[in-house]
Amino acid sequence: MSKDYAVIGLGRFGGSICRELSREGKQVLAIDIDEAKVNEFKNIASHAVILDSTDEESLKEIGIHNFEHVIVAIGDSLQASILTTVILTDLHVERITVKAQNDYHEKILRKLGVDRVIHPERDMGRRIAQNIISNNILDFLDLSDDHSIVEVKTGKKMIGKSLIDLDIRANFGCNVMAIKSGETIDVSPSPEYVFKPDDILLVIGSDDDIHRFEKQLIIDEQ
């Protein structure tokens, strides 16, 4: 049962990540100890199973170590989150992302050596899911319910092309406010600007437009 991603804990936060990864066409295994939550995701995720993630044998049986990335989004039990993370670490899961309930929890997770610790109060499920898919999405700021500013690294499809070539405003409805190249920041860049590897863009637009822009030009899958 080797799939791309497994999400453990299908509350509001874990559920939002599961939905977004599934919407992006990723293979996702949804896991929760609550049957009602698992049933909710049977038609959303690739697979959904009822399972106690603190039971090492159960995790072994589903082949959790074969998953490329496991996201632990358990929200109601600090002990269950930590124990699950310990088991995943012992089973040598390739990448582990864990939701932290507080700063103390984060310190423990850091000591366990997880790849990424998330604070839901500081992060948004949709953006986290995008970042799981690609390292090119660096940061975001909500301006309203449907408009944002995002900080992104140039995708491979952009390198060597100019703003005129890509015509981001016409094609995606987004505006490139600034470009950082090395130590230089170019505010209101020229249409002739040619993108280089590791350039960082500050882009503003509606969430839908930004999503299309990211999906087509920014996201280089890990």
Side-chain angles (χ1 to χ4, degrees), residues 22-216:
S22 298
R23 190 167 76 90
E24 291 293 335
K26 304 303 171 187
Q27 294 292 303
V28 185
L29 172 64
I31 301 171
D32 202 288
I33 199 170
D34 187 325
E35 182 178 1
K37 289 180 180 178
V38 171
N39 288 337
E40 181 183 344
F41 282 87
K42 280 186 175 178
N43 295 323
I44 297 173
S46 309
H47 297 277
V49 298
I50 305 166
L51 184 143
D52 178 359
S53 62
T54 66
D55 183 341
E56 183 172 353
E57 289 305 314
S58 294
L59 289 175
K60 286 180 178 179
E61 285 177 9
I62 63 169
I64 198 72
H65 62 283
N66 292 319
F67 285 75
E68 297 172 14
H69 196 151
V70 178
I71 300 96
V72 181
I74 298 171
D76 55 357
S77 172
L78 187 68
Q79 179 176 333
S81 174
I82 293 171
L83 183 52
T84 297
T85 304
V86 169
I87 293 171
L88 295 174
T89 302
D90 287 345
L91 294 177
H92 305 292
V93 171
E94 186 175 340
R95 297 188 64 201
I96 305 170
T97 295
V98 186
K99 166 189 170 182
Q101 297 181 27
N102 50 49
D103 291 340
Y104 172 71
H105 189 191
E106 179 177 4
K107 287 181 181 179
I108 296 174
L109 295 172
R110 296 290 184 194
K111 289 184 181 295
L112 291 173
V114 302
D115 296 286
R116 182 169 188 186
V117 178
I118 297 168
H119 281 269
E121 66 274 16
R122 296 203 301 254
D123 297 312
M124 184 172 63
R126 185 169 89 79
R127 290 297 177 195
I128 296 303
Q130 293 287 0
N131 190 262
I132 286 170
I133 296 170
S134 172
N135 285 326
N136 288 351
I137 299 171
L138 305 177
D139 202 0
F140 68 93
L141 173 66
D142 286 329
L143 298 178
S144 66
D145 288 342
D146 53 7
H147 284 77
S148 302
I149 295 175
V150 295
E151 183 183 38
V152 297
K153 190 168 71 173
T154 48
K156 293 176 182 176
K157 298 174 186 176
M158 302 176 66
I159 296 170
K161 297 182 180 179
S162 68
L163 274 171
I164 288 179
D165 294 333
L166 297 173
D167 205 356
I168 293 171
R169 180 184 296 178
N171 289 326
F172 303 101
C174 306
N175 288 304
V176 179
M177 301 168 59
I179 299 173
K180 181 179 181 182
S181 183
E183 297 301 317
T184 303
I185 298 179
D186 187 354
V187 179
S188 298
S190 163
E192 287 77 27
Y193 182 89
V194 176
F195 292 105
K196 300 183 289 298
D198 297 323
D199 278 354
I200 295 174
L201 287 67
L202 198 63
V203 180
I204 187 171
S206 73
D207 291 341
D208 288 341
D209 289 340
I210 288 173
H211 178 70
R212 288 191 301 112
F213 165 66
E214 290 172 344
K215 187 171 183 179
Q216 293 190 40

Side-chain angles (χ1 to χ4, degrees), residues 7 13-22 71 118 125 128-129 132:
V7 178
F13 183 71
S16 68
I17 292 179
C18 188
R19 285 188 179 90
E20 182 65 16
L21 289 172
S22 298
I71 300 96
I118 297 168
I128 296 303
I132 286 170

